[in-house]
Amino acid sequence: MSARSKARKRALDMLFQADVRHESITAIVGAEARRAAGEPDREASWLYAREIVDGVTDHRDEIDELIMSYAQGWTLERMPNVDRALLRLAAWEILFNDEVPTAVAIDEAVELAKEYSTEDSSRFVNGVLGRIADHAQA
């Protein structure tokens, strides 16, 4: 697994925890930073995970607005927590990280949805992110 794939998993964990536990993302990131300091071999994945989480936090309103626009018939509150975190993570990569090809961001999110969410989540995540990608290219 590449360092960026590991970073996406770590970012997903942090976004999910903050959402489910109703804790501040700052507290979650702080705990993860302390953990990462004790594991120097994971530094590369930690740095990108932090960049993702910071990016999602900085652009959350815009990201959430796009997700709600393109998740036809679904509110953010109705989505499984994992799907919501994945959509935010991948939407940030698509919209704000020029280093990551759109297809990679979508594929990685779909694979994480297959691993951690419901049977239908991968199709849902793929569809919403595809529409966000189309919006970004317009």
Side-chain angles (χ1 to χ4, degrees):
M1 181 182 291
S2 75
R4 285 214 167 169
S5 293
K6 289 177 186 176
R8 287 180 187 95
K9 164 85 173 70
R10 291 179 88 166
L12 173 63
D13 289 344
M14 287 186 278
L15 293 168
F16 177 81
Q17 283 181 53
D19 199 19
V20 170
R21 294 180 180 174
H22 303 287
E23 289 184 37
S24 78
I25 195 68
T26 305
I28 300 291
V29 168
E32 283 296 310
R34 288 187 293 280
R35 183 173 153 214
E39 302 173 18
D41 57 319
R42 298 175 75 183
E43 183 176 359
S45 67
W46 161 248
L47 293 175
Y48 188 57
R50 175 85 190 249
E51 183 179 348
I52 293 168
V53 170
D54 288 346
V56 168
T57 302
D58 291 345
H59 299 282
R60 184 157 170 179
D61 290 341
E62 182 179 351
I63 290 169
D64 283 357
E65 184 178 317
L66 283 172
I67 292 170
M68 288 185 292
S69 293
Y70 295 115
Q72 299 163 344
W74 287 83
T75 62
L76 284 171
E77 296 76 24
R78 189 171 161 231
M79 291 175 198
N81 294 333
V82 172
D83 295 2
R84 186 171 46 245
L86 279 171
L87 289 169
R88 286 172 173 157
L89 183 163
W92 175 79
E93 285 191 312
I94 291 166
L95 298 166
F96 300 103
N97 189 346
D98 295 334
E99 295 176 13
V100 176
T102 296
V104 171
I106 293 171
D107 185 57
E108 292 270 341
V110 167
E111 290 304 312
L112 287 167
K114 286 178 183 176
E115 187 171 349
Y116 295 107
S117 198
T118 70
E119 187 175 309
D120 297 325
S121 289
S122 61
R123 287 190 305 276
F124 174 71
V125 166
N126 187 53
V128 174
L129 292 176
R131 290 191 277 292
I132 290 172
D134 290 345
H135 166 84
Q137 289 178 342

